[in-house]
Amino acid sequence: MRAVSGVWRWRHNPLCRVTDRREAWLALWALVLVLVVAPAVGCLCGLFADSSLRDAIREQQAHRHRVSAVVVSVSARPAAFPGDPEGGAGPATWQSVTARWKAQDGRERHGTVPASARVHKPGERVRIWTDDRGGLAPRPMDAATAAIHSGLAGAGAFLLTAGAVEAARRTGVRFMVRRRYERLDRAWAAVGPDWGRTGAGP
């Protein structure tokens, strides 16, 4: 913005060089891209991620089932895990228990599952998620988590686009400055040897 406003104020000044105007135009186009194109890219990526995640949620909800498992034995060594096996968001202390449950086809399955530390003895019931074959499965993603991931994807795409535009602008400015110095060097090489000798006698 400083480059654009500065050249606009001094556009009729004889000291305003052509390269200054070019740098200003480059900065203006970069500003337009950051303000218009980068948000559009971020929105499109966010929408695409949201659509993909919603499809994944529907797929998970169709093939994952919450069932009640009966505790057979309780581990004597509890362990700390993030989240709550019952679906809570806060941290809780989990423990490993051996449990049995029925799959969707009616066959009985058993295995080691995480359970809340509130489970103290065999015979208690815990809620677990299983797939279509009765195997243990993670809890399906919810809409709130999908929205957060979509927002992060859109914000990341916006930042990456804006960073790419700014990197391209800096590269263009660096190239123009190098070309300017090369022209100055060629001009000085042509004029420099006779500098200050105009009108001097033999």
Side-chain angles (χ1 to χ4, degrees), residues 119-180:
V119 177
H120 298 294
K121 59 183 180 179
E124 296 187 41
R125 291 184 174 271
V126 295
R127 302 286 287 177
I128 61 174
W129 288 95
T130 63
D131 55 24
D132 291 333
R133 296 178 295 179
L136 290 175
R139 181 167 62 95
M141 182 183 298
D142 53 28
T145 303
I148 292 174
H149 289 173
S150 301
L152 292 175
F158 166 77
L159 293 176
L160 286 176
T161 304
V165 170
E166 175 62 14
R169 185 194 69 83
R170 289 176 179 269
T171 301
V173 170
R174 189 177 298 111
F175 175 76
M176 286 189 288
V177 169
R178 186 169 65 248
R179 291 290 299 275
R180 179 192 304 166

XYZ file of all heavy atoms in Angstrom, residues 119-180:
463
model
N -15.699 -47.825 36.119
C -15.996 -49.257 36.045
C -15.079 -49.990 37.022
O -13.852 -49.903 36.925
C -15.798 -49.784 34.613
C -16.026 -51.286 34.564
C -16.741 -49.069 33.665
N -15.659 -50.716 37.987
C -14.858 -51.317 39.048
C -14.917 -52.834 39.082
O -14.048 -53.465 39.692
C -15.309 -50.790 40.416
C -15.141 -49.312 40.567
N -13.907 -48.693 40.582
C -16.063 -48.320 40.691
C -14.065 -47.386 40.731
N -15.370 -47.128 40.790
N -15.925 -53.465 38.491
C -16.065 -54.899 38.674
C -16.662 -55.541 37.438
O -17.326 -54.889 36.627
C -16.942 -55.192 39.889
C -18.332 -54.609 39.791
C -19.137 -54.870 41.057
C -20.551 -54.274 40.957
N -21.342 -54.539 42.173
N -16.432 -56.842 37.264
C -17.037 -57.558 36.141
C -18.566 -57.536 36.237
O -19.143 -57.427 37.314
C -16.485 -58.985 36.306
C -15.235 -58.819 37.102
C -15.505 -57.681 38.039
N -19.179 -57.634 35.077
C -20.632 -57.613 35.008
C -21.198 -56.249 34.674
O -22.360 -56.146 34.252
N -20.412 -55.196 34.895
C -20.878 -53.867 34.522
C -20.852 -53.729 33.003
O -20.182 -54.470 32.291
C -20.007 -52.792 35.181
C -20.099 -52.793 36.695
C -19.357 -51.604 37.284
O -19.467 -50.495 36.715
O -18.654 -51.781 38.299
N -21.574 -52.758 32.519
C -21.678 -52.552 31.076
C -20.975 -51.263 30.660
O -21.021 -50.256 31.383
C -23.148 -52.505 30.637
C -23.835 -53.867 30.758
C -25.245 -53.822 30.232
N -25.849 -55.155 30.211
C -25.758 -55.991 29.199
N -25.099 -55.637 28.097
N -26.326 -57.185 29.251
N -20.355 -51.326 29.499
C -19.709 -50.149 28.906
C -20.210 -50.021 27.477
O -20.583 -51.011 26.842
C -18.168 -50.268 28.928
C -17.646 -50.277 30.349
C -17.703 -51.513 28.187
N -20.233 -48.800 26.989
C -20.679 -48.537 25.624
C -19.451 -48.435 24.725
O -18.499 -47.706 25.029
C -21.483 -47.246 25.572
C -22.707 -47.242 26.483
C -23.815 -48.101 25.934
N -24.459 -47.467 24.791
C -25.419 -48.024 24.070
N -25.844 -49.240 24.360
N -25.959 -47.378 23.055
N -19.463 -49.158 23.612
C -18.346 -49.154 22.672
C -18.892 -48.989 21.257
O -20.101 -49.159 21.015
C -17.512 -50.445 22.765
C -18.386 -51.666 22.417
C -16.882 -50.580 24.142
C -17.611 -52.955 22.341
N -18.002 -48.642 20.347
C -18.355 -48.534 18.923
C -17.764 -49.710 18.175
O -16.609 -50.091 18.402
C -17.818 -47.223 18.341
C -18.559 -46.017 18.809
C -18.227 -45.202 19.858
C -19.754 -45.479 18.244
N -19.142 -44.192 19.986
C -20.102 -44.328 19.006
C -20.576 -45.850 17.179
C -21.218 -43.560 18.735
C -21.689 -45.068 16.898
C -22.009 -43.947 17.659
N -18.560 -50.296 17.276
C -18.097 -51.425 16.471
C -18.404 -51.157 14.999
O -19.254 -50.312 14.663
C -18.790 -52.733 16.895
O -20.205 -52.625 16.668
C -18.540 -53.015 18.371
N -17.714 -51.908 14.133
C -18.005 -51.815 12.706
C -19.044 -52.859 12.319
O -19.637 -53.522 13.183
C -16.719 -51.983 11.887
C -15.981 -53.272 12.217
O -16.631 -54.227 12.708
O -14.762 -53.341 11.991
N -19.284 -53.019 11.030
C -20.314 -53.953 10.578
C -20.003 -55.404 10.947
O -20.923 -56.229 11.066
C -20.492 -53.837 9.055
C -21.108 -52.503 8.654
O -21.831 -51.927 9.490
O -20.853 -52.049 7.520
N -18.725 -55.732 11.108
C -18.338 -57.103 11.445
C -18.226 -57.335 12.939
O -17.860 -58.415 13.372
C -17.013 -57.444 10.766
C -17.085 -57.448 9.251
C -15.740 -57.746 8.634
N -14.777 -56.686 8.942
C -13.509 -56.685 8.548
N -13.059 -57.708 7.830
N -12.713 -55.691 8.852
N -18.487 -56.290 13.728
C -18.425 -56.436 15.175
C -17.106 -56.078 15.789
O -16.945 -56.147 17.017
N -16.121 -55.682 14.982
C -14.826 -55.278 15.519
C -14.875 -53.888 16.107
O -15.740 -53.072 15.776
N -13.936 -53.610 17.007
C -13.873 -52.290 17.626
C -13.584 -51.228 16.574
O -12.799 -51.433 15.644
C -12.794 -52.260 18.703
C -13.074 -53.080 19.979
C -11.855 -53.054 20.885
C -14.288 -52.522 20.701
N -14.208 -50.054 16.716
C -14.034 -48.955 15.769
C -14.041 -47.636 16.538
O -14.643 -47.546 17.618
C -15.152 -48.966 14.721
N -13.379 -46.614 16.028
C -13.426 -45.306 16.687
C -14.826 -44.707 16.603
O -15.630 -45.061 15.740
C -12.419 -44.467 15.888
C -11.603 -45.443 15.116
C -12.477 -46.621 14.867
N -15.093 -43.754 17.491
C -16.369 -43.058 17.461
C -16.465 -42.228 16.189
O -15.489 -41.603 15.764
C -16.478 -42.136 18.686
C -17.773 -41.365 18.796
C -17.897 -40.753 20.178
N -16.828 -39.801 20.426
C -16.940 -38.486 20.229
N -18.066 -37.993 19.756
N -15.930 -37.698 20.500
N -17.620 -42.199 15.532
C -17.748 -41.409 14.294
C -17.494 -39.927 14.549
O -17.767 -39.400 15.640
C -19.200 -41.657 13.867
C -19.601 -42.909 14.552
C -18.847 -42.940 15.841
N -16.970 -39.279 13.547
C -16.753 -37.837 13.640
C -18.091 -37.119 13.726
O -19.064 -37.509 13.066
C -15.961 -37.338 12.422
C -15.648 -35.857 12.447
S -14.797 -35.308 10.935
C -13.291 -36.276 11.031
N -18.156 -36.053 14.524
C -19.393 -35.292 14.620
C -19.318 -34.050 13.748
O -18.264 -33.685 13.215
C -19.710 -34.914 16.071
C -18.542 -34.209 16.755
O -17.745 -33.557 16.039
O -18.416 -34.307 17.981
N -20.446 -33.368 13.592
C -20.521 -32.210 12.701
C -19.659 -31.057 13.199
O -19.074 -30.318 12.397
C -21.978 -31.763 12.555
N -19.584 -30.877 14.519
C -18.780 -29.771 15.065
C -17.302 -29.956 14.733
O -16.610 -29.010 14.338
C -18.991 -29.674 16.572
N -16.809 -31.186 14.888
C -15.402 -31.460 14.559
C -15.146 -31.265 13.070
O -14.112 -30.705 12.670
C -15.047 -32.896 14.967
O -15.306 -33.060 16.360
C -13.577 -33.173 14.691
N -16.093 -31.695 12.240
C -15.942 -31.500 10.796
C -15.899 -30.020 10.449
O -15.123 -29.584 9.588
C -17.095 -32.186 10.057
N -16.740 -29.213 11.110
C -16.750 -27.768 10.845
C -15.417 -27.132 11.235
O -14.895 -26.259 10.523
C -17.901 -27.110 11.596
N -14.865 -27.561 12.358
C -13.568 -27.017 12.784
C -12.477 -27.372 11.783
O -11.666 -26.517 11.386
C -13.215 -27.543 14.190
C -14.180 -26.964 15.227
C -11.774 -27.181 14.552
C -13.994 -27.532 16.612
N -12.453 -28.618 11.346
C -11.442 -29.047 10.373
C -11.617 -28.309 9.042
O -10.628 -27.931 8.397
C -11.533 -30.558 10.154
C -11.063 -31.343 11.322
N -11.177 -32.720 11.407
C -10.475 -30.963 12.482
C -10.661 -33.142 12.537
N -10.239 -32.091 13.220
N -12.856 -28.094 8.635
C -13.095 -27.364 7.385
C -12.621 -25.922 7.501
O -12.014 -25.379 6.572
C -14.584 -27.402 7.040
O -15.048 -28.722 6.894
N -12.911 -25.299 8.647
C -12.437 -23.926 8.847
C -10.924 -23.828 8.841
O -10.350 -22.899 8.264
N -10.271 -24.799 9.482
C -8.807 -24.801 9.478
C -8.253 -25.000 8.075
O -7.247 -24.381 7.695
C -8.294 -25.884 10.415
C -8.545 -25.666 11.917
C -8.087 -26.876 12.713
C -7.835 -24.404 12.397
N -8.907 -25.866 7.294
C -8.453 -26.083 5.916
C -8.598 -24.808 5.085
O -7.707 -24.442 4.315
C -9.241 -27.222 5.281
N -9.743 -24.120 5.247
C -9.932 -22.876 4.508
C -8.945 -21.794 4.922
O -8.389 -21.087 4.073
N -8.724 -21.669 6.235
C -7.760 -20.669 6.708
C -6.349 -20.989 6.221
O -5.587 -20.095 5.828
C -7.791 -20.601 8.234
N -5.992 -22.276 6.237
C -4.663 -22.659 5.742
C -4.496 -22.363 4.266
O -3.436 -21.894 3.832
N -5.558 -22.638 3.477
C -5.474 -22.340 2.043
C -5.341 -20.840 1.802
O -4.582 -20.407 0.924
C -6.713 -22.886 1.328
N -6.078 -20.038 2.584
C -5.964 -18.575 2.451
C -4.547 -18.108 2.768
O -3.963 -17.314 2.017
C -6.963 -17.898 3.375
C -6.717 -16.431 3.567
C -7.080 -15.527 2.582
C -6.102 -15.968 4.713
C -6.840 -14.172 2.746
C -5.852 -14.615 4.884
C -6.228 -13.705 3.901
N -3.994 -18.589 3.873
C -2.650 -18.161 4.263
C -1.603 -18.605 3.251
O -0.670 -17.840 2.936
C -2.320 -18.700 5.650
C -3.148 -18.134 6.809
C -2.787 -18.822 8.116
C -2.937 -16.625 6.927
N -1.734 -19.820 2.738
C -0.775 -20.304 1.744
C -0.856 -19.479 0.461
O 0.172 -19.130 -0.134
C -1.036 -21.773 1.434
C -0.606 -22.778 2.508
C -1.028 -24.188 2.113
C 0.902 -22.718 2.725
N -2.084 -19.149 0.029
C -2.238 -18.343 -1.182
C -1.672 -16.948 -0.992
O -0.947 -16.425 -1.850
C -3.722 -18.260 -1.583
O -4.246 -19.587 -1.730
C -3.889 -17.505 -2.880
N -2.006 -16.337 0.144
C -1.475 -14.995 0.420
C 0.048 -15.016 0.522
O 0.730 -14.112 0.015
C -2.086 -14.455 1.710
N 0.593 -16.044 1.163
C 2.049 -16.148 1.256
C 2.703 -16.345 -0.104
O 3.767 -15.777 -0.379
N 2.057 -17.142 -0.981
C 2.609 -17.341 -2.321
C 2.587 -16.048 -3.126
O 3.541 -15.734 -3.856
C 1.812 -18.425 -3.048
N 1.501 -15.269 -2.986
C 1.416 -13.991 -3.697
C 2.495 -13.034 -3.205
O 3.172 -12.372 -4.003
C 0.015 -13.378 -3.510
C -0.017 -11.945 -4.031
C -1.032 -14.214 -4.228
N 2.669 -12.955 -1.890
C 3.684 -12.057 -1.346
C 5.089 -12.507 -1.750
O 5.954 -11.672 -2.070
C 3.562 -12.002 0.174
C 4.638 -11.181 0.874
C 4.620 -9.709 0.477
O 3.629 -9.263 -0.135
O 5.614 -9.015 0.777
N 5.334 -13.811 -1.757
C 6.646 -14.307 -2.192
C 6.893 -13.964 -3.656
O 8.016 -13.571 -4.037
C 6.730 -15.815 -1.971
N 5.849 -14.092 -4.497
C 6.006 -13.745 -5.909
C 6.265 -12.252 -6.070
O 7.075 -11.835 -6.913
C 4.752 -14.155 -6.684
N 5.584 -11.427 -5.273
C 5.817 -9.972 -5.365
C 7.252 -9.635 -4.980
O 7.914 -8.840 -5.666
C 4.841 -9.233 -4.451
C 4.912 -7.715 -4.574
C 4.195 -7.022 -3.438
N 4.892 -7.215 -2.175
C 5.922 -6.464 -1.788
N 6.392 -5.487 -2.569
N 6.502 -6.679 -0.622
N 7.725 -10.214 -3.891
C 9.096 -9.919 -3.461
C 10.115 -10.397 -4.497
O 11.122 -9.724 -4.739
C 9.373 -10.585 -2.113
C 8.620 -9.937 -0.952
C 8.863 -10.694 0.340
N 8.178 -10.063 1.452
C 8.708 -9.125 2.235
N 9.959 -8.725 2.012
N 8.029 -8.593 3.223
N 9.847 -11.547 -5.094
C 10.748 -12.044 -6.132
C 10.759 -11.106 -7.332
O 11.823 -10.812 -7.901
C 10.311 -13.453 -6.570
O 10.320 -14.330 -5.445
C 11.254 -13.997 -7.632
N 9.567 -10.629 -7.730
C 9.496 -9.689 -8.849
C 10.213 -8.384 -8.553
O 10.930 -7.848 -9.410
N 10.027 -7.868 -7.341
C 10.719 -6.623 -6.966
C 12.223 -6.826 -6.948
O 12.993 -5.979 -7.428
C 10.212 -6.137 -5.594
C 11.081 -4.996 -5.070
C 8.758 -5.672 -5.690
N 12.675 -7.953 -6.416
C 14.113 -8.242 -6.384
C 14.676 -8.335 -7.805
O 15.777 -7.829 -8.081
C 14.358 -9.544 -5.617
C 15.827 -9.803 -5.336
C 16.013 -11.068 -4.512
N 15.372 -10.949 -3.220
C 14.301 -11.629 -2.844
N 13.747 -12.497 -3.684
N 13.791 -11.477 -1.644
N 13.923 -8.941 -8.716
C 14.377 -9.041 -10.104
C 14.473 -7.659 -10.748
O 15.446 -7.349 -11.448
C 13.405 -9.924 -10.880
C 13.690 -10.013 -12.345
C 14.730 -10.802 -12.823
C 12.932 -9.291 -13.263
C 14.997 -10.877 -14.179
C 13.196 -9.358 -14.615
C 14.236 -10.151 -15.086
N 13.461 -6.800 -10.502
C 13.489 -5.464 -11.095
C 14.619 -4.621 -10.517
O 15.259 -3.849 -11.239
C 12.141 -4.777 -10.874
C 11.034 -5.331 -11.754
S 9.504 -4.362 -11.680
C 8.932 -4.780 -10.051
N 14.865 -4.751 -9.230
C 15.972 -3.994 -8.622
C 17.306 -4.456 -9.189
O 18.194 -3.630 -9.486
C 15.938 -4.165 -7.090
C 17.215 -3.613 -6.458
C 14.724 -3.458 -6.509
N 17.460 -5.770 -9.380
C 18.707 -6.266 -9.969
C 18.892 -5.755 -11.387
O 20.000 -5.344 -11.768
C 18.716 -7.788 -9.935
C 20.050 -8.375 -10.398
C 20.147 -9.857 -10.123
N 19.170 -10.600 -10.894
C 18.137 -11.231 -10.371
N 17.950 -11.195 -9.055
N 17.286 -11.894 -11.126
N 17.808 -5.749 -12.181
C 17.898 -5.218 -13.534
C 18.225 -3.732 -13.515
O 18.984 -3.229 -14.362
C 16.574 -5.448 -14.264
C 16.272 -6.917 -14.572
C 17.227 -7.435 -15.639
N 17.091 -6.687 -16.872
C 16.201 -6.930 -17.815
N 15.347 -7.941 -17.655
N 16.159 -6.215 -18.920
N 17.667 -3.000 -12.551
C 17.956 -1.570 -12.449
C 19.433 -1.339 -12.162
O 20.074 -0.481 -12.783
C 17.101 -0.963 -11.337
C 17.333 0.540 -11.125
C 16.685 0.988 -9.835
N 15.259 0.667 -9.823
C 14.515 0.695 -8.726
N 15.077 0.962 -7.555
N 13.234 0.427 -8.797
